[in-house]
Coordinates of all heavy atoms in Angstrom, one line a residue:
Chain A
M1 N -28.1 -5.1 -42.5 CA -27.6 -5.5 -41.2 C -26.1 -5.0 -41.1 O -25.7 -4.8 -40.0 CB -27.6 -7.0 -41.2 CG -27.0 -7.5 -39.9 SD -27.7 -9.1 -39.4 CE -26.6 -10.3 -40.2
Q2 N -25.4 -4.8 -42.2 CA -24.1 -4.3 -42.2 C -23.9 -3.1 -41.3 O -22.8 -2.8 -40.8 CB -23.6 -4.0 -43.6 CG -23.1 -5.1 -44.3 CD -22.5 -4.7 -45.6 OE1 -21.9 -3.6 -45.7 NE2 -22.8 -5.4 -46.7
T4 N -25.7 -2.0 -38.7 CA -26.2 -2.0 -37.3 C -25.3 -1.3 -36.4 O -24.0 -1.5 -36.4 CB -26.4 -3.5 -36.8 OG1 -27.1 -4.2 -37.8 CG2 -27.1 -3.5 -35.5
L5 N -25.8 -0.5 -35.5 CA -25.0 0.3 -34.6 C -24.7 -0.6 -33.4 O -25.6 -1.0 -32.6 CB -25.8 1.5 -34.1 CG -25.0 2.7 -33.6 CD1 -24.1 3.1 -34.7 CD2 -26.0 3.8 -33.2
L6 N -23.4 -1.0 -33.3 CA -23.0 -1.9 -32.2 C -22.5 -1.1 -31.0 O -22.0 0.0 -31.2 CB -21.9 -2.9 -32.7 CG -22.3 -3.7 -33.9 CD1 -21.1 -4.5 -34.4 CD2 -23.5 -4.7 -33.5
A7 N -22.6 -1.7 -29.8 CA -22.0 -1.1 -28.7 C -20.6 -1.6 -28.5 O -20.3 -2.8 -28.5 CB -22.8 -1.5 -27.4
V8 N -19.6 -0.7 -28.5 CA -18.2 -1.1 -28.4 C -17.8 -1.0 -26.9 O -18.2 0.0 -26.2 CB -17.3 -0.3 -29.3 CG1 -15.9 -0.6 -29.1 CG2 -17.7 -0.4 -30.7
S9 N -17.1 -2.0 -26.4 CA -16.8 -2.0 -25.0 C -15.4 -2.7 -24.8 O -14.8 -3.0 -25.8 CB -17.9 -2.7 -24.3 OG -17.6 -3.0 -23.0
P11 N -13.0 -5.8 -23.0 CA -13.2 -7.1 -22.4 C -13.0 -7.1 -20.9 O -12.4 -6.2 -20.4 CB -12.0 -7.9 -23.0 CG -11.0 -6.9 -23.4 CD -11.8 -5.7 -23.7
P12 N -13.5 -8.0 -20.1 CA -14.3 -9.2 -20.6 C -15.8 -8.8 -20.8 O -16.3 -7.8 -20.3 CB -14.2 -10.1 -19.4 CG -14.0 -9.3 -18.2 CD -13.2 -8.1 -18.7
F13 N -16.4 -9.6 -21.7 CA -17.8 -9.3 -22.1 C -18.8 -10.1 -21.4 O -19.9 -10.1 -21.6 CB -17.9 -9.4 -23.6 CG -16.9 -8.6 -24.4 CD1 -15.7 -9.0 -24.8 CD2 -17.2 -7.2 -24.6 CE1 -14.8 -8.2 -25.4 CE2 -16.3 -6.4 -25.2 CZ -15.1 -6.9 -25.6
W14 N -18.2 -11.0 -20.5 CA -19.1 -11.7 -19.6 C -18.8 -11.1 -18.2 O -17.7 -10.6 -18.0 CB -18.8 -13.2 -19.6 CG -19.4 -13.9 -20.7 CD1 -20.2 -13.4 -21.8 CD2 -19.3 -15.3 -21.0 NE1 -20.5 -14.4 -22.6 CE2 -19.9 -15.5 -22.2 CE3 -18.6 -16.3 -20.4 CZ2 -20.0 -16.8 -22.8 CZ3 -18.7 -17.6 -20.9 CH2 -19.4 -17.8 -22.1
H15 N -19.8 -11.2 -17.3 CA -19.6 -10.6 -16.0 C -20.3 -11.5 -15.0 O -21.3 -12.1 -15.3 CB -20.0 -9.2 -16.0 CG -19.7 -8.5 -14.7 ND1 -20.6 -8.2 -13.7 CD2 -18.5 -8.0 -14.3 CE1 -19.9 -7.6 -12.7 NE2 -18.7 -7.5 -13.0
C16 N -19.7 -11.5 -13.8 CA -20.3 -12.4 -12.8 C -21.7 -11.8 -12.3 O -22.4 -12.5 -11.6 CB -19.4 -12.5 -11.6 SG -19.0 -11.0 -10.8
R18 N -22.2 -9.5 -10.2 CA -22.2 -8.8 -8.9 C -21.7 -7.4 -9.1 O -20.7 -7.1 -9.7 CB -21.2 -9.5 -7.9 CG -21.5 -11.0 -7.8 CD -20.5 -11.7 -6.8 NE -19.2 -11.1 -6.8 CZ -18.6 -10.8 -5.6 NH1 -19.2 -11.2 -4.5 NH2 -17.4 -10.3 -5.6
T19 N -22.5 -6.4 -8.5 CA -22.1 -5.0 -8.7 C -22.1 -4.4 -7.3 O -22.6 -5.0 -6.3 CB -23.1 -4.3 -9.6 OG1 -24.4 -4.4 -9.0 CG2 -23.2 -4.8 -11.0
I20 N -21.7 -3.2 -7.2 CA -21.7 -2.5 -5.9 C -23.1 -2.3 -5.5 O -23.4 -2.5 -4.3 CB -21.0 -1.1 -6.1 CG1 -19.5 -1.3 -6.5 CG2 -21.1 -0.3 -4.8 CD1 -18.8 0.0 -6.7
R73 N -23.0 9.5 -6.7 CA -23.4 8.1 -6.9 C -24.2 7.6 -5.7 O -23.9 6.6 -5.2 CB -22.2 7.2 -7.2 CG -21.6 7.5 -8.5 CD -20.5 6.5 -8.8 NE -19.5 7.0 -9.8 CZ -19.6 6.7 -11.1 NH1 -20.6 6.0 -11.5 NH2 -18.7 7.2 -11.9
G115 N -11.3 10.3 -0.3 CA -11.4 10.0 -1.8 C -12.6 9.2 -2.1 O -12.7 8.7 -3.3
L117 N -15.6 6.2 -2.2 CA -15.8 4.8 -2.2 C -14.5 4.0 -2.4 O -13.8 4.2 -3.3 CB -16.8 4.4 -3.3 CG -17.2 2.9 -3.3 CD1 -18.0 2.6 -2.0 CD2 -18.1 2.7 -4.5
G118 N -14.2 3.1 -1.4 CA -13.1 2.2 -1.6 C -11.8 2.8 -1.2 O -10.7 2.2 -1.3
C199 N -22.0 -13.9 4.4 CA -20.8 -14.8 4.1 C -21.2 -15.8 2.9 O -20.5 -16.0 2.0 CB -20.4 -15.6 5.3 SG -19.7 -14.7 6.6
G202 N -21.2 -14.4 -0.4 CA -19.9 -13.9 -0.8 C -19.8 -12.4 -0.8 O -18.9 -11.8 -1.4
R205 N -16.1 -11.4 3.1 CA -15.2 -12.6 3.0 C -15.2 -13.3 4.4 O -14.9 -12.7 5.4 CB -13.8 -12.1 2.6 CG -13.8 -11.5 1.3 CD -12.4 -11.0 0.9 NE -11.9 -9.9 1.7 CZ -12.1 -8.6 1.3 NH1 -12.8 -8.3 0.2 NH2 -11.7 -7.6 2.1
E207 N -13.5 -15.3 6.0 CA -12.3 -15.5 6.8 C -12.3 -14.4 7.9 O -11.8 -14.6 9.0 CB -11.1 -15.4 5.9 CG -10.8 -16.5 5.0 CD -11.5 -16.4 3.7 OE1 -12.4 -15.6 3.6 OE2 -11.1 -17.1 2.7
M254 N -15.0 -3.1 3.1 CA -14.2 -3.5 1.9 C -12.9 -2.7 1.8 O -11.8 -3.3 1.6 CB -15.0 -3.1 0.6 CG -15.9 -4.2 0.2 SD -16.7 -3.7 -1.3 CE -18.0 -4.8 -1.4
N259 N -7.4 -8.4 1.6 CA -8.2 -9.3 0.8 C -7.4 -10.6 0.4 O -7.9 -11.3 -0.5 CB -8.8 -8.6 -0.4 CG -7.8 -7.8 -1.1 OD1 -6.6 -8.2 -1.2 ND2 -8.2 -6.7 -1.7
R260 N -6.3 -10.9 1.0 CA -5.7 -12.2 0.7 C -5.8 -13.1 1.9 O -6.0 -12.5 3.0 CB -4.2 -12.0 0.3 CG -4.0 -11.4 -1.0 CD -2.5 -11.3 -1.4 NE -2.4 -10.4 -2.5 CZ -2.5 -10.8 -3.8 NH1 -2.9 -12.0 -4.0 NH2 -2.3 -9.9 -4.7
E261 N -5.6 -14.3 1.7 CA -5.9 -15.3 2.8 C -5.2 -15.0 4.1 O -5.9 -14.7 5.1 CB -5.6 -16.7 2.3 CG -6.3 -17.2 1.1 CD -7.8 -17.4 1.3 OE1 -8.2 -17.7 2.4 OE2 -8.5 -17.2 0.3
R306 N 2.3 -11.2 1.0 CA 1.6 -11.6 -0.2 C 2.4 -12.6 -1.0 O 3.7 -12.7 -0.8 CB 1.2 -10.4 -1.1 CG 2.4 -9.5 -1.4 CD 2.0 -8.3 -2.1 NE 1.8 -8.7 -3.5 CZ 1.4 -7.8 -4.4 NH1 1.2 -6.5 -4.1 NH2 1.3 -8.1 -5.7
K308 N 4.3 -14.7 -4.0 CA 5.1 -14.3 -5.2 C 4.2 -14.4 -6.4 O 3.3 -15.2 -6.4 CB 6.3 -15.2 -5.3 CG 7.3 -15.0 -4.2 CD 8.6 -15.7 -4.7 CE 9.7 -15.5 -3.7 NZ 9.5 -16.1 -2.4
P309 N 4.5 -13.5 -7.4 CA 3.7 -13.6 -8.6 C 4.0 -14.9 -9.3 O 5.0 -15.6 -9.0 CB 4.1 -12.4 -9.4 CG 5.4 -12.1 -8.9 CD 5.4 -12.4 -7.4
F310 N 3.1 -15.3 -10.2 CA 3.3 -16.5 -11.0 C 4.7 -16.6 -11.6 O 5.1 -15.7 -12.3 CB 2.2 -16.6 -12.1 CG 2.1 -17.9 -12.8 CD1 1.3 -18.9 -12.3 CD2 2.9 -18.2 -13.9 CE1 1.2 -20.1 -12.9 CE2 2.9 -19.4 -14.5 CZ 2.0 -20.4 -14.0
G311 N 5.3 -17.7 -11.4 CA 6.7 -17.8 -12.0 C 7.7 -17.0 -11.3 O 8.9 -17.0 -11.7
Chain B
T2 N -7.1 -20.3 -4.9 CA -8.2 -20.5 -4.0 C -9.5 -20.5 -4.7 O -9.7 -19.7 -5.6 CB -8.3 -19.3 -3.0 OG1 -7.3 -18.4 -3.4 CG2 -8.2 -19.7 -1.6
R4 N -13.1 -19.7 -4.9 CA -14.1 -18.8 -4.3 C -15.4 -19.2 -4.8 O -15.9 -18.7 -5.8 CB -13.8 -17.4 -4.7 CG -12.6 -16.9 -4.0 CD -13.0 -16.1 -2.8 NE -12.2 -16.4 -1.7 CZ -12.5 -16.0 -0.4 NH1 -13.7 -15.4 -0.3 NH2 -11.8 -16.3 0.6
Q6 N -18.3 -18.4 -4.1 CA -19.3 -17.4 -4.3 C -19.0 -16.6 -5.6 O -19.9 -16.0 -6.2 CB -19.3 -16.4 -3.1 CG -19.4 -17.0 -1.8 CD -18.0 -17.0 -1.2 OE1 -17.0 -17.1 -1.8 NE2 -18.0 -16.9 0.1
P141 N -13.9 -19.9 -22.0 CA -15.3 -20.2 -22.0 C -16.0 -19.7 -23.2 O -15.6 -18.8 -23.8 CB -15.8 -19.3 -20.8 CG -14.6 -19.1 -20.0 CD -13.4 -19.1 -20.9
E213 N 6.3 -23.5 -12.4 CA 5.8 -22.3 -13.1 C 6.9 -21.7 -14.0 O 8.0 -21.5 -13.6 CB 5.4 -21.3 -12.0 CG 4.3 -21.8 -11.2 CD 3.8 -20.8 -10.1 OE1 4.5 -19.8 -9.9 OE2 2.7 -21.0 -9.5
R262 N -16.8 -11.9 -43.8 CA -17.3 -10.8 -43.0 C -18.2 -11.3 -41.9 O -18.9 -12.3 -42.0 CB -18.1 -9.9 -43.9 CG -17.3 -9.2 -45.0 CD -18.1 -8.2 -45.8 NE -19.3 -8.9 -46.4 CZ -20.2 -8.3 -47.0 NH1 -20.1 -7.0 -47.3 NH2 -21.3 -8.9 -47.5
G277 N -27.2 -1.9 -30.4 CA -26.8 -1.9 -29.0 C -26.1 -3.2 -28.5 O -25.6 -3.3 -27.4
D278 N -26.2 -4.3 -29.3 CA -25.5 -5.5 -28.9 C -24.0 -5.3 -29.1 O -23.5 -4.3 -29.8 CB -25.9 -6.6 -29.8 CG -27.3 -7.1 -29.6 OD1 -27.9 -6.6 -28.7 OD2 -27.8 -7.9 -30.4
T279 N -23.2 -6.1 -28.4 CA -21.7 -6.1 -28.6 C -21.3 -7.3 -29.3 O -21.7 -8.4 -29.0 CB -21.1 -6.0 -27.2 OG1 -21.6 -4.9 -26.5 CG2 -19.6 -5.8 -27.3
P285 N -15.1 -14.5 -25.2 CA -15.9 -13.5 -24.5 C -15.1 -12.9 -23.3 O -15.6 -11.9 -22.8 CB -17.1 -14.3 -24.0 CG -16.8 -15.7 -24.2 CD -15.7 -15.8 -25.2
G288 N -11.5 -11.2 -25.8 CA -11.6 -10.8 -27.1 C -11.7 -9.3 -27.3 O -11.6 -8.5 -26.3
S290 N -14.1 -6.0 -28.9 CA -15.4 -5.8 -29.5 C -15.2 -4.9 -30.8 O -14.3 -4.1 -30.9 CB -16.3 -5.1 -28.5 OG -16.1 -3.7 -28.5
L294 N -20.1 -4.5 -38.6 CA -20.4 -5.9 -38.9 C -19.8 -6.3 -40.3 O -19.7 -7.4 -40.6 CB -21.9 -6.1 -39.0 CG -22.6 -6.2 -37.6 CD1 -24.1 -6.3 -37.8 CD2 -22.0 -7.4 -36.9
I313 N -25.1 -7.8 -19.4 CA -24.2 -7.6 -18.3 C -24.3 -6.1 -17.9 O -24.7 -5.3 -18.7 CB -22.7 -7.9 -18.7 CG1 -22.2 -7.1 -19.9 CG2 -22.5 -9.4 -18.9 CD1 -20.7 -7.3 -20.1
D317 N -18.0 0.9 -16.5 CA -17.9 2.2 -16.1 C -16.4 2.6 -16.0 O -15.8 2.3 -15.0 CB -18.6 2.3 -14.7 CG -18.9 3.8 -14.4 OD1 -18.3 4.7 -15.0 OD2 -19.8 4.0 -13.5
Q321 N -14.4 4.5 -9.4 CA -13.3 4.1 -8.6 C -13.4 2.6 -8.2 O -14.4 2.1 -8.1 CB -13.4 4.9 -7.3 CG -13.0 6.3 -7.3 CD -13.4 7.0 -6.1 OE1 -14.6 7.4 -5.9 NE2 -12.6 7.0 -5.1
N324 N -12.3 -1.5 -3.8 CA -11.4 -2.3 -3.0 C -12.0 -3.6 -2.5 O -11.7 -4.1 -1.4 CB -10.9 -1.5 -1.8 CG -9.5 -1.3 -1.9 OD1 -8.7 -2.1 -2.4 ND2 -9.0 -0.2 -1.4
C325 N -12.9 -4.2 -3.3 CA -13.6 -5.4 -2.8 C -12.6 -6.6 -2.8 O -12.9 -7.5 -2.1 CB -14.8 -5.7 -3.7 SG -14.3 -6.2 -5.3
G326 N -11.6 -6.5 -3.5 CA -10.6 -7.6 -3.4 C -10.9 -8.8 -4.3 O -10.1 -9.7 -4.3
S329 N -8.1 -9.7 -6.8 CA -6.8 -10.3 -6.4 C -7.1 -11.7 -5.9 O -6.2 -12.6 -5.9 CB -6.1 -9.5 -5.4 OG -6.9 -8.9 -4.5
L330 N -8.3 -12.0 -5.5 CA -8.6 -13.4 -5.1 C -8.7 -14.3 -6.2 O -8.5 -15.5 -6.1 CB -9.9 -13.4 -4.2 CG -9.8 -12.9 -2.8 CD1 -11.1 -12.8 -2.2 CD2 -8.9 -13.9 -2.0
A334 N -2.5 -15.4 -11.6 CA -1.0 -15.0 -11.5 C -0.7 -14.5 -10.1 O 0.4 -14.0 -9.9 CB -0.7 -14.1 -12.6
R335 N -1.6 -14.5 -9.2 CA -1.4 -14.0 -7.9 C -1.0 -12.5 -7.8 O -0.2 -12.1 -7.0 CB -0.4 -14.8 -7.1 CG -0.8 -16.3 -7.0 CD 0.2 -17.0 -6.1 NE 1.5 -17.1 -6.6 CZ 2.0 -18.0 -7.4 NH1 1.2 -19.1 -7.7 NH2 3.2 -18.0 -7.8
L336 N -1.6 -11.7 -8.7 CA -1.2 -10.3 -8.8 C -2.3 -9.5 -8.0 O -3.3 -10.1 -7.5 CB -1.2 -9.8 -10.2 CG -0.2 -10.6 -11.1 CD1 -0.2 -10.0 -12.5 CD2 1.2 -10.3 -10.5
S337 N -2.1 -8.2 -8.0 CA -3.2 -7.3 -7.4 C -3.7 -6.5 -8.5 O -3.3 -5.3 -8.7 CB -2.6 -6.5 -6.3 OG -2.1 -7.2 -5.3
E356 N 4.7 -4.0 -9.7 CA 3.6 -4.9 -9.3 C 3.6 -6.2 -10.2 O 2.6 -6.9 -10.2 CB 2.3 -4.2 -9.3 CG 2.0 -3.3 -8.2 CD 1.6 -4.0 -6.9 OE1 1.0 -5.0 -7.0 OE2 1.8 -3.4 -5.8
H357 N 4.7 -6.4 -10.9 CA 4.8 -7.7 -11.7 C 3.8 -7.8 -12.8 O 3.2 -8.8 -13.0 CB 4.8 -8.9 -10.8 CG 5.7 -8.8 -9.6 ND1 7.0 -9.0 -9.7 CD2 5.4 -8.5 -8.3 CE1 7.5 -8.8 -8.5 NE2 6.6 -8.6 -7.7
G365 N -8.5 -12.2 -18.0 CA -9.8 -11.4 -18.0 C -10.6 -11.6 -16.8 O -11.7 -11.0 -16.7
Y369 N -14.0 -9.8 -15.0 CA -15.2 -10.6 -14.9 C -15.8 -10.4 -13.5 O -17.0 -10.4 -13.3 CB -14.9 -12.0 -15.2 CG -16.0 -13.0 -14.9 CD1 -17.0 -13.2 -15.7 CD2 -16.0 -13.6 -13.6 CE1 -18.1 -14.1 -15.4 CE2 -17.0 -14.5 -13.3 CZ -18.0 -14.7 -14.2 OH -19.0 -15.6 -13.8
C371 N -15.1 -7.9 -11.3 CA -15.1 -6.6 -10.7 C -16.5 -6.0 -10.4 O -17.3 -5.9 -11.2 CB -14.4 -5.6 -11.7 SG -14.2 -3.9 -10.9
L372 N -16.6 -5.7 -9.1 CA -17.8 -5.2 -8.6 C -18.1 -3.8 -9.1 O -19.3 -3.5 -9.3 CB -17.6 -5.1 -7.0 CG -18.7 -5.6 -6.2 CD1 -19.1 -7.0 -6.5 CD2 -18.3 -5.5 -4.7
R374 N -17.3 -2.7 -12.0 CA -17.3 -2.7 -13.5 C -16.2 -1.9 -14.1 O -16.4 -1.2 -15.0 CB -18.7 -2.3 -14.0 CG -19.7 -3.4 -13.9 CD -19.4 -4.7 -14.7 NE -19.7 -4.7 -16.1 CZ -18.9 -5.1 -17.0 NH1 -17.7 -5.6 -16.7 NH2 -19.2 -5.1 -18.3
Q379 N -8.5 -4.0 -19.5 CA -8.1 -3.0 -20.5 C -7.0 -2.1 -20.0 O -6.1 -1.7 -20.7 CB -9.4 -2.2 -20.9 CG -9.3 -1.4 -22.2 CD -9.2 -2.3 -23.4 OE1 -9.3 -3.5 -23.3 NE2 -9.0 -1.8 -24.5

Side-chain angles (χ1 to χ4, degrees):
Chain A
M1 180 150 91
Q2 277 187 39
T4 308
L5 205 57
L6 300 175
V8 176
S9 170
F13 303 95
W14 283 358
H15 189 256
C16 62
R18 305 179 334 133
T19 59
I20 296 180
R73 293 184 200 267
L117 185 63
C199 289
R205 299 180 290 270
E207 288 89 339
M254 277 180 193
N259 48 34
R260 287 181 194 280
E261 301 292 329
R306 51 185 283 183
K308 291 195 175 66
F310 189 90
Chain B
T2 0
R4 286 265 136 190
Q6 311 101 327
E213 293 183 348
R262 294 182 308 176
D278 291 354
T279 303
S290 85
L294 283 176
I313 59 170
D317 196 341
Q321 284 167 275
N324 246 328
C325 67
S329 39
L330 280 171
R335 302 188 295 270
L336 303 177
S337 296
E356 284 279 334
H357 310 285
Y369 169 84
C371 182
L372 224 56
R374 282 300 276 137
Q379 199 69 4

